[in-house]
Amino acid sequence: MCGIAGIISQNREVLTYQQLKKMTDAIEHRGPDGEGQWINDSNGVGLGHRRLSIIDLSDAGSQPMHYLDRYSIVFNGEIYNYIEIREFLKTKGYTFVSDSDTEVLMANFDYKGERCLEDFDGMFAFALWDKKEQVLFCARDRFGEKPFFYHQSNNSFYFGSEMKALWSVGVPKETNNRMLFNYWHFGYINNSNDLSETFYKDIFLLEPSHYIIVDPNGKIIKKQKYWDIDYKNQLDTVDFNDVKDTFFRLFETSISRRLRSDVAVGTSLSGGLDSSSTVCMINHMKVNNVEQKTFSARFPNFIKDESVYIDKVLNSVNAKGISCFPTIESMVSNVQEIIHHQEEPFGTLSIAAQYEVMKLARDNNVIVLLDGQGADEYLCGYHGLIDSFFIELKKKDKKEYKRQLEIYKQVHASNQINSISRRLRMSFLKEKLSDAQIDKLLGIKSGIDNFTKKDAKKDLYSQYKNEQFERKYSAASLNEMLYHATFKGGLQELLRYADRNSMAHSLEVRLPFLSHELVEFVFTLPSTCKVNNGFSKYILREAMNDVVPKDIVWRKDKIGYEPPNKNEVNGVPLKNYLINAFKI
C-alpha cells in the first residue's frame, strides 16, 4: 500500500525531480517508509512513489521498480494471489529478485499484456512505463478500492493517488459546479452515470475496472473497461447446500489471501454480521493460532450502540478487543483533518467514527486491517434493496410473493430501526410514476424553490437545474439493483471514505468480501439465496451459522458506523458546513 504520482511531458520545466518530489511529499501519509522518484532517459516520463512497507520489507521492494530493462512501475495496493501467479510465471521462465507482488505484476504484464489484469485478485492502482512500446499503462482494480486521479493540459499528463499531489504542482483547483449543484440539493457524492467526474474541473478519476494507455505526448490513446458482471446471467434453481459450501470456500480463500503480510494484521469489528463473519472466520481457520486484535467504535447510551454484539463476538473467539469511544466533540475536532484527506465532500459524520477506528488500529501498531465492507451491496444487506426482491417476486410468483412478504413482516414486526411497510409502498409507486411525479410526491419541487431563494445559489440553479444526475428508483430485478449499488452507488462512496481515512494514518485496509470470484459467484445465484424467509444476506447467514454467534447471524436490524448527530457539525447542517470548509 503506497502513494503514487507521475508526469508525462516533453516540457522540461514541467517534468523535473523537484516537481515529482512535490507530488510525493503531498501524499507522504500514504507511505511513510520510503520514497523514490525516477525520470526516463529521454526525460519525458517521470514516476514518483511513497512506500508503506507491507510485503517484502527489504530495499528490493522499493519503487519506482524496474524489470527486464523495459518496464518501470509505481504501484499502490496489493495483489493477494501474487504467490500463485509467481509460481506459474516461474514455469514460463521468469525469474525474480524480490518477494514483492509488484515485481510479479510486471512479469505478468510482460507475459500477458493488458490481459494480466484478469488474473489479479487484488486492490490496486498503478502506472507502468513500457520503454519498448513507449506508452504508459495505467489501471485500477475491479471495484475501485484504490484511487487514481489524472489531469491533462498543455501536452502534459499528471496522475496521483490523491488530488493534492496534482495541486502541489499547479494543477488548478477549480470547482465543478455541476457536482456542487447535485451535492447541495440532492446529496450526491458522485455521478453514478460517469464515475470519472470529480468535484474539480478537469481532474478525473479513472473508473473501477478500467485501464488507460497514455502516449509520450501526454495523450490518452486508449481507455478500456476490462471486467464486468452480467447480472442477468442468473441461475433459476440451485442446490442450496452446494452453493452454501461454495460460498464458504470462496470466502475462506479470500480471507486467507488477505492475511498475507509481513507486518501486523488486525480486524475491524462493528458488531454487524459482515465484520463479525471476518473475525470469526479467522478464528475458525486458526490462522497461526495467534490472538487477533480487533478494533471497534462504541457509543455508550446511544440506541444504535453495538457494544452488546461486539462483546458476543469477543467472548466467542481468541481475540483482544480494543475500542474507541467517539463523541460529538472528538469527531468534530477531527473534521478539518478529515476534510484535508477526503478532498471532496462526504455525506455523513459517520466517516469521523471510522477515522477514529483507523487511528486506533495504527496507534496499536497494526498496519493492515481487515474490514467487512462490500457485502451489503451485493448480498442485499440494506433494507432498501430488499424492496426490489419483493417487486421481482410479485411479477414472477404472486403466491410466493405473498408468502415471503408475510414471513418478512413477522420476522421484522419488532424491528423499530428498519420497517418495510412505507418503503414497499414507495417502491411500488416508483414503478408506476414518472420522475416528475416522484419529485412532486417527495417534495423535491418545493425544495428546489427554497434552493433558488438563496441568493448565493440562484446562478447555480439557473445554470444546472436540468443536470440532476439520474436516480435509480427501481430495477427490473433484485440483481440489477444490487449491481447498481455495488458498481454505481453507495459502495463507491464507502470505498473512497475507507481509503482516505485509512491512509491518513498510514494504514492498509483489506476487504475480504470484495474477492471478484466471490462476487461473481453470488451474482449467479437466484434471488432467494440473497433474501429468504424474512432475512437479507441469506446465504452468508447460513454459511456462517456454525461459525458466528447465532444472535449475530440472525440479527434483524441493520446498523453501520452510526454515531449520534451524524448529519451536523456544531449545530450546522453537515452539507452547509462542508461546502464552506471545502470552499466550493
Side-chain angles (χ1 to χ4, degrees):
M1 183 67 69
C2 306
I4 64 174
I7 303 172
I8 291 184
S9 181
Q10 300 304 317
N11 185 335
R12 300 298 180 265
E13 294 181 1
V14 169
L15 177 54
T16 66
Y17 278 100
Q18 290 77 11
Q19 290 283 85
L20 290 173
K21 182 161 174 50
K22 284 182 184 178
M23 298 180 84
T24 55
D25 285 351
I27 53 174
E28 180 181 2
H29 51 279
R30 297 187 73 95
D33 298 330
E35 66 173 309
Q37 297 84 28
W38 169 84
I39 296 177
N40 70 336
D41 293 339
S42 60
N43 295 316
V45 179
L47 304 177
H49 189 261
R50 290 294 321 197
R51 186 182 185 191
L52 178 62
S53 301
I54 302 292
I55 293 174
D56 189 348
L57 309 185
S58 73
D59 289 343
S62 297
Q63 299 182 40
M65 186 180 288
H66 311 282
Y67 192 70
L68 298 179
D69 194 32
R70 174 176 175 178
Y71 304 107
S72 300
I73 193 173
V74 283
F75 168 63
N76 170 32
E78 302 290 350
I79 306 298
Y80 301 119
N81 60 336
Y82 76 100
I83 293 175
E84 291 81 1
I85 296 173
R86 183 176 62 196
E87 292 309 305
F88 169 78
L89 290 171
K90 283 181 178 179
T91 68
K92 300 299 179 181
Y94 287 88
T95 59
F96 302 90
V97 299
S98 76
D99 293 322
S100 72
D101 54 344
T102 309
E103 191 177 18
V104 172
L105 190 164
M106 287 193 286
N108 205 32
F109 184 86
D110 182 73
Y111 180 63
K112 297 184 70 172
E114 61 201 37
R115 290 186 54 245
C116 72
L117 299 170
E118 300 169 6
D119 296 339
F120 298 148
D121 174 11
M123 56 174 181
F124 54 81
F126 67 85
L128 181 151
W129 174 249
D130 183 340
K131 183 170 66 172
K132 179 179 177 181
E133 297 296 330
Q134 290 288 293
V135 293
L136 186 73
F137 183 87
C138 310
R140 195 167 174 223
D141 65 74
R142 291 174 174 84
F143 298 98
E145 294 180 59
K146 293 294 103 186
F148 186 99
F149 293 97
Y150 65 91
H151 167 80
Q152 294 174 285
S153 63
N154 301 321
N155 296 319
S156 299
F157 177 85
Y158 304 79
F159 71 87
S161 295
E162 297 179 18
M163 288 185 279
K164 56 179 64 68
L166 310 184
W167 296 329
S168 71
V169 289
V171 171
K173 187 178 183 180
E174 186 177 354
T175 303
N176 175 355
N177 283 331
R178 193 165 80 113
M179 284 288 288
L180 176 59
F181 169 76
N182 278 276
Y183 172 71
W184 175 273
H185 186 65
F186 301 105
Y188 291 130
I189 305 299
N190 56 41
N191 178 358
S192 63
N193 300 309
D194 182 3
L195 293 176
S196 71
E197 189 168 7
T198 73
F199 276 83
Y200 300 94
K201 284 184 180 180
D202 299 321
I203 295 180
F204 301 96
L205 179 65
L206 181 59
E207 300 97 315
S209 305
H210 279 72
Y211 68 80
I212 55 176
I213 298 175
V214 186
D215 72 13
N217 296 310
K219 180 182 179 181
I220 295 175
I221 56 177
K222 184 178 181 181
K223 183 178 182 181
Q224 182 70 44
K225 187 171 188 177
Y226 65 85
W227 179 81
D228 204 354
I229 281 179
D230 181 3
Y231 61 80
K232 296 179 181 178
N233 184 25
Q234 190 174 9
L235 299 170
D236 293 326
T237 59
V238 294
D239 182 310
F240 187 77
N241 285 328
D242 285 348
V243 297
K244 181 181 71 172
D245 291 344
T246 300
F247 181 95
F248 188 97
R249 175 180 55 78
L250 289 171
F251 186 45
E252 185 177 41
T253 297
S254 180
I255 289 178
S256 178
R257 288 176 176 174
R258 282 156 180 78
L259 288 171
R260 291 173 173 172
S261 171
D262 293 329
V263 296
V265 179
T267 46
S268 172
L269 177 60
S270 69
L273 175 61
D274 306 335
S275 65
S276 299
S277 296
T278 302
V279 171
C280 291
M281 275 292 287
I282 294 172
N283 187 75
H284 174 79
M285 293 158 61
K286 295 182 171 55
V287 179
N288 299 327
N289 291 313
V290 175
E291 181 185 56
Q292 288 189 71
K293 286 184 179 179
T294 70
F295 300 92
S296 307
R298 300 180 187 243
F299 306 95
N301 303 317
F302 180 46
I303 187 174
K304 296 184 179 181
D305 176 49
E306 298 276 78
S307 291
V308 63
Y309 296 106
I310 292 169
D311 290 337
K312 284 179 184 292
V313 172
L314 292 175
N315 290 334
S316 70
V317 299
N318 177 28
K320 177 183 180 181
I322 305 170
S323 298
C324 59
F325 299 85
T327 64
I328 291 299
E329 292 74 22
S330 69
M331 290 188 293
V332 168
S333 71
N334 290 325
V335 164
Q336 287 300 321
E337 191 67 18
I338 292 169
I339 287 170
H340 170 74
H341 287 287
Q342 288 292 323
E343 298 182 326
E344 297 180 283
F346 38 92
T348 169
L349 206 57
S350 299
I351 191 174
Q354 183 191 63
Y355 181 88
E356 293 195 34
V357 172
M358 303 294 187
K359 182 177 186 300
L360 179 71
R362 185 67 197 214
D363 287 348
N364 281 272
N365 300 314
V366 165
I367 299 175
V368 175
L369 191 70
L370 270 63
D371 189 272
Q373 217 168 61
D376 283 321
E377 285 74 17
Y378 71 89
L379 282 167
C380 198
Y382 297 119
H383 285 263
L385 296 174
I386 295 172
D387 305 346
S388 295
F389 168 75
F390 288 109
I391 292 171
E392 175 189 328
L393 196 57
K394 188 176 184 180
K395 293 175 182 176
K396 289 182 175 179
D397 188 337
K398 289 187 177 180
K399 184 178 179 180
E400 179 66 7
Y401 159 74
K402 290 179 180 179
R403 187 187 77 84
Q404 288 271 11
L405 182 58
E406 186 57 34
I407 293 173
Y408 187 91
K409 287 180 177 179
Q410 291 174 10
V411 168
H412 294 274
S414 61
N415 187 347
Q416 299 301 310
I417 293 177
N418 310 113
S419 172
I420 191 175
S421 300
R422 181 180 179 279
R423 289 197 334 266
L424 202 52
R425 287 196 301 272
M426 183 60 70
S427 293
F428 284 121
L429 280 173
K430 288 172 179 177
E431 279 215 310
K432 299 178 181 300
L433 301 180
S434 67
D435 280 2
Q437 290 170 317
I438 292 288
D439 286 349
K440 185 174 181 180
L441 183 66
L442 297 178
I444 288 178
K445 185 178 186 305
S446 62
I448 289 178
D449 290 342
N450 292 333
F451 181 83
T452 61
K453 290 175 183 176
K454 302 180 189 325
D455 290 338
K457 299 295 179 289
K458 282 184 179 178
D459 291 342
L460 197 61
Y461 171 75
S462 163
Q463 186 174 356
Y464 295 98
K465 62 183 178 182
N466 296 321
E467 296 197 41
Q468 178 193 350
F469 299 150
E470 178 187 354
R471 289 163 304 200
K472 192 72 174 176
Y473 279 133
S474 62
S477 67
L478 174 62
N479 246 17
E480 182 181 354
M481 187 59 83
L482 299 181
Y483 178 89
H484 189 272
T486 303
F487 296 102
K488 303 290 187 180
L491 181 59
Q492 297 304 311
E493 299 173 22
L494 297 177
L495 292 178
R496 189 247 285 182
Y497 299 164
D499 172 77
R500 307 309 188 281
N501 271 345
S502 60
M503 296 312 297
H505 302 293
S506 306
L507 177 77
E508 175 172 299
V509 170
R510 299 178 175 181
L511 308 178
F513 282 103
L514 291 188
S515 153
H516 70 279
E517 294 168 328
L518 180 62
V519 177
E520 288 170 345
F521 173 70
V522 170
F523 268 100
T524 67
L525 302 180
S527 295
T528 49
C529 288
K530 298 147 197 171
V531 183
N532 203 357
N533 294 327
F535 287 93
S536 64
K537 295 195 281 196
Y538 190 69
I539 192 169
L540 172 62
R541 295 177 193 269
E542 287 285 357
M544 293 296 106
N545 197 41
D546 296 326
V547 177
V548 178
K550 287 182 170 52
D551 286 351
I552 295 173
V553 171
W554 301 107
R555 281 186 68 178
K556 303 171 187 178
D557 53 347
K558 167 63 187 169
I559 304 173
Y561 269 150
E562 189 166 327
N565 298 338
K566 63 176 182 175
N567 292 318
E568 64 176 52
V569 179
N570 293 334
V572 177
L574 180 64
K575 201 182 298 182
N576 295 18
Y577 181 90
L578 291 178
I579 285 176
N580 290 327
F582 278 103
K583 295 180 174 58
I584 58 176

